[in-house]
Amino acid sequence: MNENKPGDSQNLACVFCRKSDDCPNKYGEKKTKEKWNLTVHYYCLLMSSGIWQRGKEEEGVYGFLIEDIRKEVNRASKLKCCVCKKNGASIGCVAPRCKRSYHFPCGLQRECIFQFTGNFASFCWNHRPVQIITSNNYRESLPCTICLEFIEPIPSYNILRSPCCKNAWFHRDCLQVQAINAGVFFFRCTICSNSDIFQKEMLRMGIHIPEKDASWELEENAYQELLQHHERCDVRRCRCKEGRDYNAPDSKWEIKRCQCCGSSGTHLACSSLRSWEQNWECLECRGIIYNSGEFQKAKKHVLPNSNNVGITDCLLEESSPKLPRQSPGSQSKDLLRQGSKFRRNVSTLLIELGFQIKKKTKRLYINKANIWTSALDAFRNQNFNPSYAIEVAYVIENDNFGSEHPGSKQEFLSLLMQHLENSSLFEGSLSKNLSLNSQALKENLYYEAGKMLAISLVHGGPSPGFFSKTLFNCLVYGPENTQPILDDVSDFDVAQIIIRINTATTVADLKSVINECYNYLEVIGCLRLVTTLSDKYMLVKDILVYHVIQRVQAPFESFKQGLKTLGVLEKIQAYPEAFCSILCHKPESLSAKILSDLFTVHTLPDVKALGFWNSYLQAVEDGKSTTTMEDILIFATGCSSIPPAGFKPTPSIECLHVDFPVGNKCNNCLAIPVTNTYKEFQENMDFTIRNTLKLEKEESSHYIGH
């Protein structure tokens, strides 16, 4: 130590390991006490076997008294490291009869385990704790759920498995970095967000979890720039006589900021905005968003029988996609340009969630004639676990023989999603919001609906595709940050009230409408005194918020809790753009190429039959057949679209010497007939698919509308 200059802390060596490295992630913080000519690595000090923290945190070094440190250094000087063969090995293996001692860095090198909890025990490479799994049936590599690099799913020193999500695997180094950054309050499983079980296991396996707040919470004034408001009109021709910096709230000279970057502004009058609630983007952001191909400008929707009604754009125009809160300035615009780099594919996200599914299988007994009741009974069963693999068996009601036959999990989930879309839990035509159904709320059906949607997504079923943008934004950003639009109102009478209020041209007309609707406005708590015509915009906003959001607050909270099943809601909130594509939009239309690429040939092909198959797909796409692409997919798999997570197993084609095609929905296998002519092939395919699906629809027709 005397060789080092006390002022040059970078080159000072730790009194325990004799290394001058300053690497907090590996050795802990490097601390120098010049008064006592003492430098230590925190982990070297913490893990030393013959020292205890006898002082307060501010005394000595992290509460370890200086005299105790010197005694420990003296004790260790007599012990030889079994790795580097040098003296000063202050750490010993706690296993009985094990005599190994080593420096902390040498222990890391030989993959020893240091437990940063309890008595701060250390285990050598022969006695270290290991993770035990009963069997290893993973045939393929799995991604580390932090860095996403593929790893072999075999527990080892460098590869750890989550104790709460059995198919979640991590690099040790990734976990350690995450633990240091997140701290004890935010370090949790990346899949299910469990902290108690997860932290206990990680501490056992030698991950240090510091008792501090997350690093992003400790940075002083980290979010200070978010408090700065841009108050200047930046449009090319500012019409305000008082100048670009003039801002008069509640008037046409109030400054509205760009909803995307917040770093540009305009007076309402300078951009012909009729109210402050209207969306506005600066030219740069508008070019980035609308020319990137990622988003399309919202279309205006006209209500029936309202051709002569001039409704304000802000009511009929879908709100632009919400973006995360950003700092003003050019940095946020750079993020808009680079946003595509950080987008995740929704299939990959769902596959990650699927790592939670265990090998253990739960069989669900489903009556196809009453899918909803069967599903409720199955999912509410006390033995049901969402993380178990699902196996479906179809049964017939009132069947005295108790017969059952294997069913397709994807077909079952597809029928369940169809029922949910048409159930009384949702209202609307194409884009749906939650309804207010007191009986359903009493029976906790909104929670069950959210749970079913989550299970369908993670277990390879179809996505709903019928959420309104308002419902989606409420789930992602919170109801308090979401503004409904007129299209969200499915009640005709309420929609007419909103239209009448919004189309009032004078204060007298506005007051007249309010008087006519006095009782309704009073009941919903939206009655307000109007003094100017512009007050109608706030009144309309209040009605929309009440009818679409506040009125269904209880169903929404219940539905949201259900969506938390298997960590789905958290994933949606983390990657809203990815999930918006499957929750708010129906899947793309199937084509001949998509189906041709989807099905693989697993048996020796009959060249003629395969040629007929490709010709048949093209004929269906061209409208020269009585079936559709969706009919073919349903016949073979039970699904009318490709699930976001893909099919399991992959759909396949077989060529058999049979007269008619055969669909095996359990295995996603389609057996096509071997015929002499294409005409015979097409007739057999059309006849079988059309009549099979017709028969299935007739059997379940009373259920779909139930």
Side-chain angles (χ1 to χ4, degrees):
M1 284 293 297
N2 294 329
E3 296 177 0
N4 299 308
K5 297 179 181 179
D8 189 6
S9 61
Q10 291 290 332
N11 297 323
L12 293 177
C14 171
V15 294
F16 289 106
C17 69
R18 311 295 174 85
K19 287 182 176 290
S20 59
D21 303 50
D22 189 2
C23 185
N25 285 350
K26 291 179 67 176
Y27 308 137
E29 185 181 2
K30 186 180 178 183
K31 199 82 167 180
T32 297
K33 294 288 185 179
E34 295 186 6
K35 180 178 179 181
W36 294 286
N37 193 25
L38 185 72
T39 299
V40 294
H41 289 126
Y42 179 45
Y43 295 170
C44 293
L45 175 61
L46 199 61
M47 299 309 303
S48 291
S49 302
I51 190 171
W52 285 266
Q53 188 181 35
R54 296 195 300 124
K56 297 180 180 179
E57 195 68 31
E58 64 274 9
E59 292 185 88
V61 183
Y62 302 108
F64 293 90
L65 303 181
I66 299 300
E67 58 267 29
D68 290 345
I69 296 176
R70 295 203 182 280
K71 288 179 182 179
E72 178 63 6
V73 172
N74 183 58
R75 184 191 70 86
S77 65
K78 304 170 186 177
L79 300 173
K80 182 177 291 187
C81 175
C82 61
V83 179
C84 70
K85 308 304 180 183
K86 296 179 181 179
N87 290 341
S90 63
I91 305 172
C93 177
V94 299
R97 299 182 182 178
C98 182
K99 303 300 182 182
R100 290 190 178 95
S101 295
Y102 33 82
H103 302 103
F104 185 84
C106 295
L108 288 182
Q109 180 184 334
R110 285 302 304 268
E111 301 182 348
C112 297
I113 292 290
F114 302 95
Q115 294 181 343
F116 295 88
T117 184
N119 292 326
F120 294 87
S122 168
F123 300 86
C124 72
W125 52 93
N126 280 345
H127 300 114
R128 69 190 181 202
V130 295
Q131 289 187 304
I132 304 296
I133 60 174
T134 54
S135 62
N136 186 7
N137 297 322
Y138 307 105
R139 299 179 180 178
E140 299 178 355
S141 299
L142 296 175
C144 166
T145 61
I146 297 177
C147 71
L148 300 182
E149 289 185 6
F150 280 87
I151 55 180
E152 293 300 321
I154 301 173
S156 64
Y157 176 80
N158 291 311
I159 305 297
L160 299 176
R161 186 180 68 161
S162 171
C164 40
C165 300
K166 302 300 184 184
N167 290 345
W169 298 80
F170 312 89
H171 291 110
R172 171 181 289 273
D173 291 343
C174 293
L175 275 173
Q176 186 58 79
V177 172
Q178 186 189 53
I180 291 174
N181 288 330
V184 69
F185 301 109
F186 291 92
F187 184 55
R188 58 194 62 188
C189 177
T190 55
I191 299 295
C192 68
S193 294
N194 179 284
S195 59
D196 295 335
I197 299 175
F198 186 75
Q199 287 191 16
K200 185 177 179 180
E201 174 67 1
M202 293 305 112
L203 286 169
R204 185 179 78 90
M205 296 306 298
I207 299 298
H208 179 225
I209 310 172
E211 294 185 5
K212 67 176 184 67
D213 210 341
S215 58
W216 55 86
E217 298 287 344
L218 297 174
E219 185 179 347
E220 187 177 359
N221 297 325
Y223 308 104
Q224 188 67 30
E225 68 273 13
L226 296 179
L227 303 177
Q228 300 174 6
H229 293 274
H230 184 88
E231 294 187 353
R232 176 181 171 82
C233 180
D234 299 299
V235 298
R236 183 177 299 176
R237 297 181 63 182
C238 177
R239 304 175 185 175
C240 182
K241 296 181 180 179
E242 303 293 332
R244 292 182 177 273
D245 295 325
Y246 181 72
N247 182 24
D250 300 321
S251 74
K252 65 180 180 179
W253 301 119
E254 181 175 4
I255 288 181
K256 169 82 174 178
R257 287 178 293 277
C258 171
Q259 67 166 351
C260 295
C261 68
S263 61
S264 296
T266 177
H267 291 116
L268 299 183
C270 296
S271 293
S272 302
L273 299 178
R274 297 176 64 179
S275 79
W276 195 88
E277 277 71 36
Q278 278 188 265
N279 296 327
W280 181 79
E281 302 98 4
C282 63
L283 288 176
E284 187 173 358
C285 290
R286 190 176 304 159
I288 295 169
I289 296 175
Y290 294 96
N291 294 331
S292 65
E294 296 292 339
F295 303 106
Q296 293 181 348
K297 286 188 178 180
K299 298 179 180 179
K300 293 185 179 180
H301 309 284
V302 182
L303 291 175
N305 304 322
S306 60
N307 295 333
N308 298 323
V309 178
I311 303 179
T312 307
D313 294 350
C314 68
L315 293 177
L316 294 185
E317 194 172 58
E318 291 186 2
S319 55
S320 298
K322 282 181 175 280
L323 296 174
R325 196 175 177 187
Q326 299 176 357
S327 306
S330 60
Q331 181 181 5
S332 60
K333 295 178 180 177
D334 291 338
L335 289 177
L336 278 174
R337 293 189 188 93
Q338 301 169 6
S340 58
K341 297 180 182 178
F342 302 100
R343 296 193 181 102
R344 299 283 305 283
N345 183 282
V346 71
S347 299
T348 304
L349 295 171
L350 292 176
I351 290 172
E352 286 178 12
L353 289 174
F355 292 156
Q356 303 171 74
I357 300 176
K358 304 172 182 177
K359 295 296 180 181
K360 187 173 182 178
T361 300
K362 175 64 178 176
R363 173 170 288 193
L364 307 183
Y365 295 95
I366 303 299
N367 178 8
K368 286 182 74 172
N370 199 341
I371 291 280
W372 175 248
T373 302
S374 299
L376 272 181
D377 292 341
F379 291 156
R380 284 176 168 175
N381 188 294
Q382 61 179 0
N383 295 323
F384 177 76
N385 188 329
S387 62
Y388 288 170
I390 292 176
E391 185 179 279
V392 174
Y394 287 135
V395 296
I396 301 176
E397 194 174 10
N398 301 324
D399 183 359
N400 295 328
F401 298 100
S403 60
E404 60 184 64
H405 59 277
S408 164
K409 175 186 69 175
Q410 287 166 321
E411 180 186 37
F412 158 63
L413 293 173
S414 182
L415 291 173
L416 190 56
M417 290 302 102
Q418 289 178 40
H419 173 84
L420 277 179
E421 183 173 2
N422 296 285
S423 72
S424 60
L425 302 178
F426 297 90
E427 61 184 20
S429 53
L430 296 177
S431 297
K432 296 178 180 288
N433 290 291
L434 291 171
S435 65
L436 180 59
N437 186 322
S438 57
Q439 186 61 33
L441 189 61
K442 183 179 179 180
E443 296 177 6
N444 206 25
L445 296 185
Y446 289 99
Y447 170 82
E448 297 296 340
K451 179 180 175 181
M452 290 174 181
L453 286 168
I455 289 174
S456 178
L457 289 173
V458 178
H459 283 263
S463 58
F466 58 80
F467 283 17
S468 71
K469 288 291 181 62
T470 298
L471 175 57
F472 181 79
N473 287 339
C474 284
L475 290 169
V476 175
Y477 306 105
E480 67 280 2
N481 297 317
T482 302
Q483 176 58 50
I485 60 174
L486 185 57
D487 283 355
D488 293 318
V489 180
S490 59
D491 188 307
F492 179 78
D493 293 333
V494 175
Q496 289 302 308
I497 291 174
I498 293 174
I499 292 173
R500 291 182 61 195
I501 292 174
N502 199 70
T503 54
T505 55
T506 65
V507 175
D509 289 341
L510 180 59
K511 289 182 177 180
S512 176
V513 176
I514 291 175
N515 287 333
E516 290 182 34
C517 307
Y518 186 92
N519 291 336
Y520 170 74
L521 295 176
E522 184 179 37
V523 168
I524 67 174
C526 293
L527 195 62
R528 62 164 54 231
L529 179 67
V530 295
T531 56
T532 63
L533 188 60
S534 62
D535 289 339
K536 67 181 181 179
Y537 300 120
M538 290 305 299
L539 179 57
V540 166
K541 178 181 177 180
D542 290 345
I543 297 173
L544 285 170
V545 170
Y546 167 79
H547 186 82
V548 181
I549 294 178
Q550 294 178 354
R551 184 175 63 97
V552 295
Q553 184 175 358
F556 174 77
E557 290 300 326
S558 182
F559 180 69
K560 188 170 74 169
Q561 290 301 316
L563 266 180
K564 289 183 178 179
T565 303
L566 296 171
V568 170
L569 179 61
E570 290 80 359
K571 213 73 166 177
I572 292 173
Q573 292 171 339
Y575 301 98
E577 289 186 15
F579 280 92
C580 181
S581 63
I582 65 171
L583 296 179
C584 300
H585 304 283
K586 292 296 184 181
E588 64 174 322
S589 300
L590 298 173
S591 65
K593 185 179 187 310
I594 290 175
L595 278 193
S596 179
D597 293 341
L598 179 65
F599 286 88
T600 59
V601 180
H602 280 177
T603 60
L604 290 175
D606 181 286
V607 178
K608 184 187 293 186
L610 288 178
F612 289 167
W613 161 251
N614 291 325
S615 299
Y616 179 68
L617 290 179
Q618 194 59 53
V620 173
E621 182 177 306
D622 294 340
K624 299 176 181 178
S625 170
T626 56
T627 61
T628 64
M629 293 293 176
E630 288 72 22
D631 291 339
I632 298 173
L633 195 60
I634 294 173
F635 181 76
T637 67
C639 294
S640 60
S641 61
I642 301 174
F647 282 106
K648 231 178 192 182
T650 303
S652 60
I653 289 282
E654 290 182 342
C655 303
L656 300 180
H657 290 279
V658 292
D659 294 331
F660 300 98
V662 179
N664 186 338
K665 298 176 182 177
C666 294
N667 296 324
N668 299 327
C669 181
L670 175 62
I672 58 176
V674 176
T675 60
N676 294 322
T677 65
Y678 171 73
K679 181 179 180 182
E680 184 183 359
F681 180 90
Q682 179 174 351
E683 289 176 350
N684 290 351
M685 293 288 289
D686 284 348
F687 174 82
T688 305
I689 294 175
R690 182 178 65 248
N691 286 282
T692 300
L693 298 185
K694 181 180 179 182
L695 181 62
E696 291 177 351
K697 287 180 181 178
E698 290 175 352
E699 290 177 349
S700 59
S701 59
H702 67 283
Y703 140 71
I704 293 295
H706 183 59

